[in-house]
Amino acid sequence: MPMYALMATIGLMFAVIFVYFRTYKAGISFKELLLYLMICSISALIGARIIFVIAMLPQIDLTLSNILYYILNGGIVFYGGMFGVLCGLYFVSKILHKDYTLVINIIAPSIPLFHFFARIGCLFAGCCYGVPWPWGVVMMNTPHVVRFPVQFFESVCNLIIFFILFFKEHKLKQYNVNLRIYLICYAICRFILEYFRGDSVRGIWLQSFSTAQIISLLLLLYFLSTGIYKNLSTRKFQNIKGEKHD
């Protein structure tokens, strides 16, 4: 039984059910939700394959035939699928004249919920495996090596992020920070856990960082820089307002 496909399907089912009971906040009907699901499924697959090809660039010859082969027959990369989903949500929101920021933050908690099941699928399927470790699990493709169960730990991290977003959402002063919190938390977890990955099909650049680590760093730098900019802008506005008041 293809366990990854099975667990990913279960994860998608739970994510869609979760989103369905939240769509009233954005005024999304059931038919509109199906349109979101259809377009995002396509854009997620496209994004996942594109980032997979990018991840494989250090290991393959840059010929058109190789690139086309990996696009059509390669694996999938979560970050690529996630960015594909965000693009799909934006596209459909523009068509349906929905508030993209509201939609994206309603859906944000469902991303780690789906990923929780998908990483369990990775554990069962034996992909995305960990480095050799004194204790852990044995993969079918390397039955003579005990490996660190990195898939399980990433799955747990995703579940924790989901509960943080779900239970703390009503306490957030700004509803639109859901996606930001998710991306920051996941980027930190993914950057650390990549050091415990033992498979090479994820692109190692400069013999130091994987593709996922580079993307994680870029996300963290982006949110850090925007946070500093907003903080400085707020202080500047308050100073100007204080001078006018005086």
Side-chain angles (χ1 to χ4, degrees):
M1 182 179 294
M3 289 303 297
Y4 178 79
L6 175 63
M7 295 304 296
T9 302
I10 294 174
L12 180 62
M13 179 183 68
F14 274 95
V16 171
I17 292 173
F18 175 79
V19 171
Y20 173 74
F21 286 103
R22 293 162 58 87
T23 51
Y24 70 92
K25 296 179 180 180
I28 299 175
S29 66
F30 181 71
K31 290 183 178 180
E32 292 172 336
L33 178 61
L34 292 179
L35 179 61
Y36 271 108
L37 180 61
M38 181 181 68
I39 298 300
C40 288
S41 298
I42 297 173
S43 60
L45 180 60
I46 294 173
R49 284 291 173 83
I50 291 175
I51 300 298
F52 177 79
V53 172
I54 294 175
M56 294 300 295
L57 289 180
Q59 301 172 233
I60 65 174
D61 295 328
L62 295 180
T63 62
L64 181 60
S65 59
N66 278 342
I67 294 176
L68 289 176
Y69 173 81
Y70 281 105
I71 289 176
L72 298 175
N73 303 287
I76 57 175
V77 174
F78 171 75
Y79 264 133
M82 183 191 69
F83 292 139
V85 167
L86 298 181
C87 292
L89 290 173
Y90 180 81
F91 176 74
V92 178
S93 296
K94 288 299 181 181
I95 292 177
L96 300 178
H97 304 289
K98 302 294 183 181
D99 185 346
Y100 173 69
T101 303
L102 180 59
V103 170
I104 202 68
N105 285 281
I106 287 175
I107 293 175
S110 68
I111 301 176
L113 178 62
F114 162 78
H115 206 187
F116 162 74
F117 288 96
R119 278 303 184 214
I120 294 296
C122 290
L123 179 64
F124 289 151
C127 62
C128 309
Y129 51 82
V131 296
W133 206 253
W135 55 267
V137 295
V138 176
M139 303 287 103
M140 291 182 62
N141 50 354
T142 55
H144 57 286
V145 182
V146 178
R147 297 187 177 278
F148 183 80
V150 65
Q151 310 100 317
F152 171 77
F153 281 96
E154 186 172 340
S155 181
V156 171
C157 287
N158 276 290
L159 189 61
I160 293 173
I161 295 172
F162 165 74
F163 281 121
I164 290 174
L165 295 178
F166 182 68
F167 287 111
K168 295 296 183 180
E169 184 177 78
H170 66 284
K171 295 183 179 180
L172 298 176
K173 294 181 180 180
Q174 291 179 301
Y175 185 72
N176 62 357
V177 300
N178 248 354
L179 181 65
R180 191 189 318 165
I181 293 174
Y182 161 68
L183 290 175
I184 292 173
C185 292
Y186 180 72
I188 294 172
C189 295
R190 184 63 185 270
F191 184 86
I192 295 172
L193 288 175
E194 279 291 300
Y195 286 113
F196 296 91
R197 287 276 292 267
D199 60 312
S200 60
V201 189
R202 66 190 199 280
I204 303 299
W205 297 84
L206 303 175
Q207 299 181 344
S208 300
F209 299 109
S210 68
T211 305
Q213 284 179 313
I214 293 174
I215 296 175
S216 297
L217 279 176
L218 291 176
L219 285 172
L220 291 174
L221 288 174
Y222 169 76
F223 287 116
L224 178 62
S225 60
T226 53
I228 293 174
Y229 175 77
K230 288 181 179 179
N231 187 38
L232 293 176
S233 299
T234 302
R235 289 184 179 182
K236 184 178 179 180
F237 174 76
Q238 290 176 345
N239 291 335
I240 294 175
K241 186 177 180 181
E243 290 175 359
K244 290 182 177 180
H245 180 74
D246 292 338

